[in-house]
Amino acid sequence: MTEATDLSIRQLLRKFSEKSLSPSEYWLALEKHIEAWEPTIAALYAYDPEAARRQAAASTERWAKGAPLGALDGIPVTLKELIATKGQPVPLGTAAVELIPAAEDAPVAARLREDGAVIFAKTTCPDYGMLSSGLSSFHKLSRNPWDPTQNPGGSSAGASAAAAAGYGPLHIGTDIGGSVRLPAGWTGIFGFKPSHGRIPVDPYYVGRCAGPMARTVEDAAFSMATLSRPDWRDGTSLPPNEIDWMDLDIDARGLKIGLMLDAGCGLPADAEVRDAVVAAAKRFEEAGATIIDVAPVLTKQMLDGLDVFWRARFWSDIMGLSEERRDLILPYIYTWAKGGADISGVEAVRGFNQTIEMRRSCGKLFTTIDALLSPTNPIVSYPADWASPTNDPALPFEHIVFTVPWNMSEQPASSINCGFSRSGMPIGLQIVGPRFGDMLVLKLSKAFETWTGGVTNWPKPPAP
């Protein structure tokens, strides 16, 4: 019998409806599972099992009456700490921020509550969400369930660790340069960054998206009907849609799919990563797609421009803090941010303009292909206590070179497990679609999951 903690969203909802399992019974099983894992991986912030029991009990009553609130009633969910929930502070992963309770739910939290989801915790992130790491000056060090000596990636660090360890079927992260996909790749889960504006966020910003992180493509897809409802607070949010998020079948025959193994700058892909991605591309070719080797969309000038722009932007965010509070920021981040203190307005604008060049480059590529395959992460793994894969604030973004262009071009992209290294660590395949081609990305992801056996074929992280 499948363990209760391994059940998908649709399996859970079916059991809730049949009354063969209640939301309360499921939560109590999940609570024990979390208690076993959390001391090892430290994925959670503001974990409140008592509040979860109350929410699950209310959901149990609704299901008993045959009147669930919405599509996710009784489904336990975590939210990345950066996503505000009313009454709880938003530390932004740093000891430098004053802990002031949020006045209202952010759009994602509001939509989940409307549909009856059990929000039982926030998940950890590094200072200001600025690292691909579980290292923070505020939270405990989050670790990778596959090997606790290794990094879960970031900045949705706790979300990826929680999903990989089986803390329920759904976790929501945010992604401005790869922060859903990068940790998904390093922890062997599925992470989906939709088209910009598909899931409203607050505050919104250039390239910033929210996205589901789950063990299966279907669980992520199922959540999109809830998460994608518009919210006036996001001035870039897309209009209401009629998308059937569960229509995941596809015939890959005739599709032109690009294969990008060289990002153009940054860290080169490890041999094991390249081999796994090439093997994945062959699966699509066997299904009838035409695989086309493509050149990089990113240049060092673009990446350096983004670095200048982000340093200037971040310095403007923290320059008003007292010196004492600034000293509480993770030294790696503070050292990087201080580089923005002397950037002129003209230099900052020139840096920002490189995001437009990324968008142009991505758009040009997609005039010749329908979709793209690439590594999610260029390297297999790195130590848990490193701030980034280089651990060098002078080289802060060498690892986001496969992921960040698609934030700036506003295109949907996913990361799905495509194998394991000799050391036993997961390897992520990135699948990118055209702007607004969210369903194409999900369909191709589901097809690949099916061909490879998905979660029924891949091993789970070893028990703690």
Side-chain angles (χ1 to χ4, degrees), residues 284-309:
F284 286 94
E285 190 171 45
E286 290 166 1
T290 300
I291 301 300
I292 304 167
D293 291 327
V294 299
V297 291
L298 195 65
T299 66
K300 189 173 188 304
Q301 183 180 7
M302 293 176 191
L303 190 65
D304 289 347
L306 183 66
D307 185 14
V308 167
F309 171 55

Side-chain angles (χ1 to χ4, degrees), residues 59-78:
S59 177
T60 296
E61 289 185 14
R62 293 191 293 270
W63 279 105
K65 296 174 182 177
L69 265 183
L72 292 171
D73 202 336
I75 302 299
V77 180
T78 69

Side-chain angles (χ1 to χ4, degrees), residues 37-51:
W37 269 101
E38 186 59 12
T40 300
I41 63 173
L44 303 181
Y45 165 68
Y47 175 43
D48 192 343
E50 290 186 9

Side-chain angles (χ1 to χ4, degrees), residues 34-311:
I34 292 169
E35 286 173 1
W37 269 101
E38 186 59 12
T40 300
I41 63 173
L44 303 181
Y45 165 68
Y47 175 43
D48 192 343
E50 290 186 9
R53 287 180 216 135
R54 291 194 297 271
Q55 293 176 70
S59 177
T60 296
E61 289 185 14
R62 293 191 293 270
W63 279 105
K65 296 174 182 177
L69 265 183
L72 292 171
D73 202 336
I75 302 299
V77 180
T78 69
L79 300 178
K80 187 176 180 178
E81 185 249 275
L82 300 179
I83 300 170
T85 47
K86 185 177 181 179
Q88 293 179 316
V90 184
L92 304 178
T94 180
V97 167
E98 294 185 54
L99 299 180
I100 301 171
E104 60 182 357
D105 284 336
V108 164
R111 300 296 86 75
L112 289 167
R113 288 198 206 278
E114 289 167 1
D115 277 5
V118 175
I119 301 175
F120 67 89
K122 309 296 277 293
T123 50
T124 62
C125 66
D127 290 52
Y128 297 95
M130 287 302 300
L131 297 176
S132 289
S133 174
L135 183 63
S136 160
S137 64
F138 179 82
H139 300 295
K140 291 180 180 178
L141 177 65
S142 296
R143 298 174 180 273
N144 194 319
W146 290 95
D147 179 348
T149 70
Q150 297 301 292
N151 213 295
S155 62
S156 303
S160 65
Y167 288 19
L170 182 61
H171 309 269
I172 312 301
T174 61
D175 187 318
I176 198 171
S179 290
V180 161
R181 290 157 291 155
L182 293 166
W186 277 310
T187 57
I189 64 168
F190 179 71
F192 178 53
K193 181 201 82 69
S195 295
H196 187 90
R198 183 70 71 196
I199 297 176
V201 296
D202 179 37
Y204 64 90
Y205 196 72
V206 176
R208 185 171 188 249
C209 299
M213 304 172 73
R215 289 193 71 213
T216 70
V217 176
E218 184 181 279
D219 281 342
F222 190 92
S223 73
M224 287 298 296
T226 297
L227 299 174
S228 64
R229 293 202 293 268
D231 192 293
W232 69 267
R233 289 171 289 177
D234 185 344
T236 67
S237 64
L238 299 177
N241 64 71
E242 299 296 328
I243 297 172
D244 180 357
W245 292 102
M246 300 308 292
D247 178 15
L248 296 173
D249 292 335
I250 192 171
D251 184 345
R253 287 178 293 184
L255 288 177
K256 293 183 291 184
I257 300 179
L259 176 61
M260 182 184 292
L261 298 173
D262 176 5
C265 55
L267 295 173
D270 287 349
E272 288 183 280
V273 172
R274 288 176 62 94
D275 290 347
V277 171
V278 168
K282 288 180 179 176
R283 292 272 192 167
F284 286 94
E285 190 171 45
E286 290 166 1
T290 300
I291 301 300
I292 304 167
D293 291 327
V294 299
V297 291
L298 195 65
T299 66
K300 189 173 188 304
Q301 183 180 7
M302 293 176 191
L303 190 65
D304 289 347
L306 183 66
D307 185 14
V308 167
F309 171 55
W310 276 353
R311 285 184 200 240

Side-chain angles (χ1 to χ4, degrees), residues 379-403:
I379 67 168
V380 166
S381 191
Y382 54 107
D385 59 356
W386 280 22
S388 75
T390 64
N391 209 30
D392 182 354
L395 297 169
F397 302 130
E398 305 298 294
H399 58 287
I400 68 173
V401 288
F402 285 108
T403 54

